[in-house]
Amino acid sequence: MIEASVIARSADADTGARGMAIARTGQNRKALIAVKPDIAVNKVWSKREFAAIAIAGAWALYLALVSVRLAVLGLSNMREVALRHILTAAIGAIMTAALFWILSRLEHRSPLVQIGGAVLLAAPAAATLAVVNYDVMFVFAPSAAWSIAERAGNDLPRVFVQTIAENDFLFTALGVLYIAMASVIDSRDALQRATVAESQAQKAQLQALRYQLDPHFLFNALNTISALVMEGEPERAEQALASLSAVLRTTLASDALVDTTLRQEFRLHETYLGIEGLRFGARLQVVLELPDALADVAIPPLLLQPLVENVIKHAVGVSETPVQLSVRARGADDFVVVTVEDDGPGSPQAGFGLGLRNVAERLALRFGEGATFQHGRRADGGYRAVLSFPRRQPLPE
């Protein structure tokens, strides 16, 4: 079991010794780039589009009802009053947009909190719009809109209170409607992503299997085991054979549609890199860091394999000096950041292959817009890939 908060192992071909080490690296100063995979997902409405339609529809209905009311009342200056109502509606639409924006900041909170926020925000919005309506109708050049008899017949305090009540109902209704539709849209998008992910994840699993079952890897692993037997080290040969069997068994048994945990992912790579350590000896130095608090965080299975394999191929495989391969996980608020990096010479074309595209697409399909993926050369040499995704527990099988 992986129990320590920091796991570090350096492979040595001659002694097979294990040592504990902690390596520190500077923070990656490049901004994380949001993952946007090349996957077509049919969308009916986005939340922004729904908000725009709801605002336009609600205030258009308001103006239609006002027009009917004005026609029934038969005011002397109906056109002027109608224009003032249009101004009030425009201001109301802007306030509704502000209300929706604030509610969008609460989307990750419980439904009760969201609805409570809508009710609380509706009251000051209603009072503010009532004051605006009063000023527009009865303070700014009232004689241009109302005759003396019409002004005398208006019970202004009653009109003001009635306007507040109507506005409060309207803002509350729109707020609750936005919350409900935002939830429906999120559920729809998640379902669409899951549908696309079902086929993409299967393909990703096959790609991951291709990485694991690479002929060069199998040849080198078996050749290493054979050499250990010939050199009279049956115990180490048996250990390497058991490790190879464990890696292949885990890969073949994993379900690409079911999340694994960071603990299991790190454990797999510890075993895999142990075999590579027998092959490369002191040229491969491994550092694995996984805080206990993040051990049970969900991650798509074999997601890190292309990144680790890139380091083996493009850094360790072409270097004559020791290369440190580091895989670190850390928490950042409600997110997990996993960094895979090396300090080797690398290849000019490293980092532009199918593997990184695979990682980006699987991240986006599993976590949506909450996931980010950034990779590139380090200023001090080597290569770094950084994944950031929401902290979640594995989905039930």
Side-chain angles (χ1 to χ4, degrees):
M1 295 181 60
I2 298 178
E3 298 179 350
S5 61
V6 177
I7 302 174
R9 183 179 49 75
S10 60
D12 190 312
D14 297 326
T15 63
R18 293 190 175 189
M20 300 299 293
I22 300 177
R24 300 181 180 273
T25 61
Q27 296 291 332
N28 193 324
R29 300 182 181 274
K30 296 182 180 178
L32 292 177
I33 302 172
V35 179
K36 294 184 179 179
D38 264 339
I39 298 172
V41 178
N42 294 326
K43 288 190 175 183
V44 180
W45 276 351
S46 67
K47 283 181 280 189
R48 185 173 298 179
E49 290 168 341
F50 167 75
I53 293 172
I55 292 171
W59 291 102
L61 178 61
Y62 165 83
L63 291 176
L65 294 176
V66 166
S67 299
V68 173
R69 181 187 297 179
L70 294 179
V72 171
L73 293 176
L75 299 178
S76 59
N77 198 348
M78 189 179 304
R79 182 175 178 277
E80 179 66 20
V81 175
L83 290 174
R84 296 190 183 204
H85 275 293
I86 291 174
L87 176 59
T88 300
I91 297 173
I94 294 173
M95 295 179 66
T96 306
L99 173 65
F100 285 179
W101 182 86
I102 295 174
L103 291 177
S104 71
R105 305 297 96 183
L106 301 176
E107 286 178 4
H108 298 296
R109 307 295 293 273
S110 68
L112 185 61
V113 171
Q114 295 182 56
I115 294 174
V119 173
L120 292 176
L121 291 169
T128 302
L129 187 60
V131 171
V132 170
N133 181 73
Y134 182 88
D135 290 342
V136 169
M137 292 295 176
F138 305 110
V139 175
F140 177 75
S143 59
W146 312 93
S147 66
I148 296 176
E150 289 168 347
R151 276 184 285 171
N154 281 327
D155 184 357
L156 296 185
R158 183 187 63 80
V159 171
F160 183 77
V161 172
Q162 180 181 340
T163 303
I164 291 179
E166 292 174 349
N167 291 345
D168 186 71
F169 174 81
L170 179 60
F171 282 121
T172 300
L174 287 173
V176 173
L177 178 62
Y178 176 84
I179 292 169
M181 285 303 299
S183 177
V184 170
I185 291 171
D186 283 340
S187 299
R188 181 208 64 201
D189 290 347
L191 179 61
Q192 289 181 335
R193 285 199 304 270
T195 301
V196 177
E198 186 171 350
S199 61
Q200 289 290 331
Q202 292 288 359
K203 183 169 66 175
Q205 184 184 30
L206 292 176
Q207 292 170 342
L209 285 172
R210 183 178 64 81
Y211 281 114
Q212 287 284 16
L213 300 176
D214 183 276
H216 294 291
F217 166 70
L218 283 175
F219 173 79
N220 289 323
L222 294 174
N223 190 51
T224 298
I225 295 171
S226 175
L228 291 174
V229 172
M230 296 295 293
E231 293 171 4
E233 298 188 58
E235 293 184 359
R236 293 184 63 198
E238 183 179 355
Q239 178 186 1
L241 188 59
S243 297
L244 176 60
S245 175
V247 170
L248 297 179
R249 183 170 58 251
T250 301
T251 302
L252 291 169
S254 65
D255 185 346
L257 303 180
V258 178
D259 287 337
T260 185
T261 63
L262 279 175
R263 176 191 286 112
Q264 294 169 326
E265 187 80 355
F266 271 60
R267 186 179 294 154
L268 173 65
H269 290 297
E270 183 183 26
T271 305
Y272 168 72
L273 291 170
I275 300 172
E276 294 290 8
L278 293 174
R279 170 188 170 194
F280 291 108
R283 287 162 55 194
L284 174 60
Q285 299 178 352
V286 177
V287 176
L288 302 177
E289 294 183 8
L290 176 61
D292 290 336
L294 303 179
D296 293 324
V297 170
I299 185 173
L302 303 173
L303 183 67
L304 303 180
Q305 177 60 24
L307 306 178
V308 173
E309 186 70 18
N310 272 351
V311 174
I312 296 298
K313 289 182 177 180
H314 300 298
V316 182
V318 299
S319 175
E320 297 180 357
T321 58
V323 173
Q324 179 174 281
L325 188 165
S326 302
V327 184
R328 295 181 172 89
R330 63 180 177 85
D333 297 326
D334 293 330
F335 288 79
V336 176
V337 179
V338 178
T339 303
V340 179
E341 61 183 338
D342 67 84
D343 58 2
S347 166
Q349 300 301 318
F352 294 94
L354 181 63
L356 294 182
R357 181 185 179 87
N358 177 354
V359 173
E361 290 187 354
R362 294 188 68 197
L363 261 183
L365 285 168
R366 174 61 181 89
F367 300 104
E369 296 179 357
T372 59
F373 180 47
Q374 181 271 335
H375 57 87
R377 290 194 174 280
R378 306 192 314 180
D380 56 348
Y383 206 82
R384 175 182 290 127
V386 181
L387 302 81
S388 175
F389 49 90
R391 184 184 302 197
R392 298 177 183 173
Q393 298 300 312
L395 295 173
E397 298 187 19

